[in-house]
């Protein structure tokens, strides 16, 4: 590559931060993907002439590097079989369930591992190719854990950071992985390894000691010629953007309309998740339905709106889950709905940011009950939107967000009885109590927004020299 085109700051992620869209003239263009990570990193990219290395989203397509939204984008090619084995396979059928408490049984298959290695090497080579001498490279997430080591071998001059967006499991679970040592060594190629929680960072340090025979001191893993720092950097949302959106008149009007359409019940409960077995959707719907079964809530008192974004539908586990949830919703409505008034409104669709914000505003109780979640941004988005100090958050202890949002109504989602009780309390909390809790949670989310997250990580990485 032409030396003058090389970048001082490189982000490496499974996906590029843009989606292909077709405009009115039928021309294909690229539009920035929604989401906090992209929002947080784009300004840094623009300041430092950054480049982003990632897959553009469709298989078997060769694309030259291109410019979009003020960034240089370097596409990495994935074949159909790479998508199946590296992405759907090792990333989403092996690592995802293993790192989320083996809620589903991880698949350990050598052909998947080989694809993971092969594709990680391709990403490392692409990053090595675009990075300027001494550049900072920030590798993202579980799909690319081997990249730090591979990249350091190619380019020892670089400063390499890695951030894991999902939980990092304890020894007892990680130990199952036939390639546990290779994954740890992959991560140890970085100068700084960031996790969502303190537990993730300490699991990593402990595992490096146990399976790589390395000495550690506090947050540091000591290698022959350098040390690797492990620390926690809880990710967040773009709070200001959500505040702006949630105070727009049309969004507020839409929220009122949603309440009207739902028949103005005393309580609207809301769940917004990718349709994933980690999210605890079945547990929360069971708790809600049992409130009707027990006669504590009646049709007209409360409505549950569950938005379940389609996700990973080529993975068997996800197809089964979808069927189970749809059966559960049908049964609950069959038992307790009145004509034209279902107790659960279920939508298996994506929504615009605006519609999602209106739903957040309309909801009296946001129900976020994952069985395990690295952070859970939905919980923070809901809090950021409620400048009116109305609304209550029912939050799982197993979401990273619970480490920060102490004033939520916390639940253990495995405990259906306890969840049901907390759900009832959240529905009936006084306006003063809701306001007290919401005020405290908002302080945290507004101060620790996604900009601060990126800044703190990058400062810690620069300080590694
Ligand atoms: P995960 O990364 O596991 O999907 P998070 O809660 O951390 O879970 O992030 C999900 C993100 O996707 C949030 O920013 C949320 O607003 C967005 N999202 C979830 N469901 C939908 C939907 N149906 N339509 C649009 N955006 C959605």
């Amino acid at each position: 590559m032409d030396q003058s085109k090389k970048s001082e700051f490189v982000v490496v992620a499974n996906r590029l931060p843009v989606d292909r869209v077709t405009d009115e003239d039928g021309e294909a263009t690229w539009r920035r993907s929604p989401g906090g990570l992209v929002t947080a990193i784009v300004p840094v990219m623009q300041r430092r002439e950054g480049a982003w290395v990632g897959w553009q989203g469709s298989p078997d397509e060769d694309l030259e590097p291109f410019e979009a939204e003020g960034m240089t984008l370097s596409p990495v090619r994935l074949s159909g079989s790479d998508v199946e084995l590296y992405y759907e396979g090792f990333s989403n059928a092996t690592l995802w369930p293993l790192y989320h408490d083996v809620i589903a049984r991880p698949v350990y298959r050598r052909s998947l591992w080989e694809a993971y290695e092969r594709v990680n090497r391709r990403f490392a080579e692409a990053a090595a190719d675009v990075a300027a001498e001494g550049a900072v490279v920030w590798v993202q997430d579980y799909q690319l854990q081997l990249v730090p080591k591979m990249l350091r071998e190619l380019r020892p001059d670089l400063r390499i950071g890695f951030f894991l967006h999902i939980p990092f499991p304890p020894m007892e679970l990680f130990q199952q992985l036939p390639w546990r040592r290779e994954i740890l060594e992959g991560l140890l190629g970085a100068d700084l390894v960031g996790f969502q929680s303190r537990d993730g960072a300490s699991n990593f340090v402990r595992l490096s000691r146990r399976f790589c025979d390395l000495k550690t001191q506090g947050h540091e893993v000591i290698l022959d010629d350098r040390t690797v720092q492990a620390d926690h950097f809880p990710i967040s949302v773009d709070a200001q953007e959500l505040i702006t959106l949630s105070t727009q008149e049309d969004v507020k009007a839409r929220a009122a309309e949603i309440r009207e359409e739902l028949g103005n019940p005393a309580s609207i409960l809301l769940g917004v998740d990718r349709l994933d077995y980690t999210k605890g959707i079945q547990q929360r719907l069971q708790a809600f339905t049992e409130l009707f079964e027990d006669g504590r809530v009646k049709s007209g008192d409360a409505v549950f709106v569950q938005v379940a974004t389609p996700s990973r539908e080529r993975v068997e586990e996800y197809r089964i889950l979808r069927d189970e949830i749809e059966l559960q919703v049908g049964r609950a409505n069959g038992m307790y709905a009145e004509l034209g008034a279902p107790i659960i409104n279920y939508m298996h669709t994506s929504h615009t940011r605006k519609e999602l914000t209106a739903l957040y505003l309309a909801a009296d109780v946001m129900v976020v009950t994952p069985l395990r979640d690295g952070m859970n941004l939905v919980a923070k988005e809901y809090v950021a939107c409620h400048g009116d100090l109305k609304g209550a958050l029912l939050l799982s202890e197993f979401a990273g967000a619970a480490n920060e949002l102490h004033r939520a109504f916390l639940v253990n989602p495995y405990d259906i009885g306890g969840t049901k009780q907390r759900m009832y309390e959240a529905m009936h909390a006084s306006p003063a109590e809701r306001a007290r809790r919401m005020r405290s949670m908002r302080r945290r989310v507004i101060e620790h927004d996604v900009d601060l997250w990126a800044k703190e990580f990058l400062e810690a990485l620069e300080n590694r020299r």
Side-chain angles (χ1 to χ4, degrees):
M1 189 183 232
D2 174 4
Q3 198 58 37
S4 65
K5 294 255 181 64
K6 302 224 173 198
S7 299
E8 297 295 334
F9 178 64
V10 180
V11 171
V12 191
N14 176 59
R15 277 298 308 271
L16 285 178
V18 288
D19 298 311
R20 205 186 321 239
V21 287
T22 312
D23 65 18
E24 288 136 21
D25 311 326
E27 291 269 315
T29 55
W30 298 94
R31 193 176 51 203
R32 191 196 289 186
S33 322
L37 176 68
V38 178
T39 317
I41 292 178
V42 167
V44 190
M45 300 278 269
Q46 290 164 342
R47 273 199 304 278
R48 306 202 202 180
E49 300 190 12
W52 191 304
V53 174
W55 177 44
Q56 83 285 3
S58 49
D60 298 308
E61 186 188 35
D62 279 307
L63 275 184
E64 288 300 311
F66 62 99
E67 302 278 325
E69 305 271 347
M71 301 176 275
T72 302
L73 305 176
S74 279
V76 175
R77 183 182 201 276
L78 292 189
S79 68
S81 133
D82 292 333
V83 175
E84 188 186 329
L85 302 175
Y86 143 81
Y87 181 67
E88 292 165 354
F90 200 78
S91 299
N92 288 334
T94 307
L95 294 172
W96 180 269
L98 177 66
Y99 284 25
H100 287 90
D101 286 3
V102 300
I103 296 163
R105 197 189 171 111
V107 175
Y108 300 121
R109 202 177 297 147
R110 280 164 286 185
S111 56
L112 304 186
W113 163 252
E114 283 156 17
Y116 186 78
E117 253 191 318
R118 181 175 72 236
V119 173
N120 269 246
R121 189 163 306 282
R122 203 175 303 151
F123 276 85
E125 284 165 357
D129 200 35
V130 301
E133 181 71 23
V136 168
V137 182
W138 192 2
V139 184
Q140 308 286 330
D141 224 0
Y142 64 103
Q143 302 92 348
L144 300 176
Q145 293 171 97
L146 304 179
V147 169
K149 176 178 186 212
M150 291 171 170
L151 186 55
R152 182 173 295 277
E153 282 167 1
L154 293 166
R155 293 286 306 273
D157 59 296
L158 301 176
R159 202 172 322 177
I160 304 171
F162 180 92
F163 185 77
L164 185 72
H165 292 255
I166 68 174
F168 195 72
M171 169 110 65
E172 295 69 18
L173 297 179
F174 191 78
Q175 202 172 359
Q176 289 184 7
L177 187 66
W179 307 278
R180 60 200 185 193
R181 183 170 176 143
E182 287 86 341
I183 293 280
L184 293 168
E185 287 174 352
L187 294 170
L188 288 165
D191 297 293
L192 172 65
V193 187
F195 298 88
Q196 299 278 26
S197 71
R198 208 172 258 134
D199 286 347
S202 57
N203 288 341
F204 174 72
V205 171
R206 192 161 159 242
L207 281 158
S208 301
R209 207 160 51 221
R210 172 79 167 76
F211 292 114
C212 303
D213 300 320
L214 292 167
K215 294 231 163 1
T216 64
Q217 191 170 40
H219 289 176
E220 304 231 315
V221 182
I222 300 157
L223 310 184
D224 288 342
D225 52 346
R226 61 194 180 89
T227 63
V228 181
Q229 187 189 340
D231 216 334
H232 67 289
F233 301 88
I235 199 169
S236 193
V237 296
D238 184 346
Q240 286 313 321
E241 186 218 347
L242 289 159
I243 290 171
T244 306
L245 206 54
S246 60
T247 47
Q248 277 177 22
E249 286 310 320
D250 57 338
V251 176
K252 290 199 282 188
R254 175 65 192 137
E257 193 177 271
I258 290 170
R259 291 198 70 94
E260 198 69 35
E261 283 169 8
L262 292 171
N264 272 320
S267 296
I268 295 175
L269 295 87
L270 174 67
V272 173
D273 313 77
R274 263 184 321 99
L275 205 157
D276 195 295
Y277 49 77
T278 59
K279 300 292 182 181
I281 298 172
Q282 291 158 298
Q283 286 77 0
R284 82 179 65 139
L285 293 181
Q286 187 182 337
F288 180 68
T289 308
E290 283 188 15
L291 287 174
F292 284 81
E293 206 171 291
D294 300 346
R296 294 175 82 188
V297 174
K298 303 229 164 11
S299 175
D301 291 348
V303 169
F304 204 113
V305 178
Q306 177 64 53
V307 180
T309 320
S311 179
R312 303 178 190 169
E313 298 195 297
R314 284 165 40 138
V315 181
E316 170 81 3
E317 204 79 43
Y318 288 75
R319 284 199 296 265
I320 296 171
L321 177 72
R322 180 177 171 190
D323 287 346
E324 285 176 0
I325 291 173
E326 292 179 359
L327 183 68
Q328 190 184 8
V329 171
R331 284 220 172 114
N333 283 330
M335 293 287 286
Y336 301 108
E338 291 188 351
L339 204 59
I343 63 163
I344 303 173
N345 280 261
Y346 164 82
M347 286 170 283
H348 184 244
T349 43
S350 238
H351 287 287
T352 62
R353 285 312 280 167
K354 257 190 169 171
E355 180 71 2
L356 209 53
T357 307
L359 278 164
Y360 288 150
L361 280 184
D364 301 294
V365 183
M366 184 78 217
V367 185
V368 181
T369 55
L371 303 175
R372 178 61 73 191
D373 208 329
M375 175 52 62
N376 197 290
L377 295 179
V378 164
K380 290 187 171 179
E381 288 170 1
Y382 178 75
V383 167
C385 287
H386 273 277
D388 59 7
L389 304 185
K390 292 178 182 161
L393 174 65
L394 191 73
L395 179 64
S396 164
E397 295 165 3
F398 298 100
N403 295 327
E404 297 171 80
L405 306 179
H406 309 288
R407 302 302 307 275
F409 289 85
L410 291 172
V411 296
N412 168 3
Y414 290 97
D415 171 11
I416 305 290
T419 302
K420 176 166 69 172
Q421 181 56 30
R422 284 306 257 170
M423 192 179 268
Y424 189 85
E425 284 165 19
M427 286 162 67
H428 293 91
S430 70
E433 181 182 1
R434 285 164 183 258
R436 250 194 327 273
R437 289 174 179 267
M438 189 58 83
R439 194 176 293 116
S440 145
M441 294 191 290
R442 280 176 63 74
R443 205 174 299 130
R444 173 75 198 185
V445 172
I446 291 168
E447 278 169 16
H448 289 255
D449 71 351
V450 72
D451 285 336
L452 188 64
W453 168 78
K455 188 165 164 276
E456 287 186 342
F457 184 92
L458 289 171
E459 275 175 11
L461 181 55
E462 318 242 285
N463 287 337
R464 294 297 298 154
R465 271 280 140 95

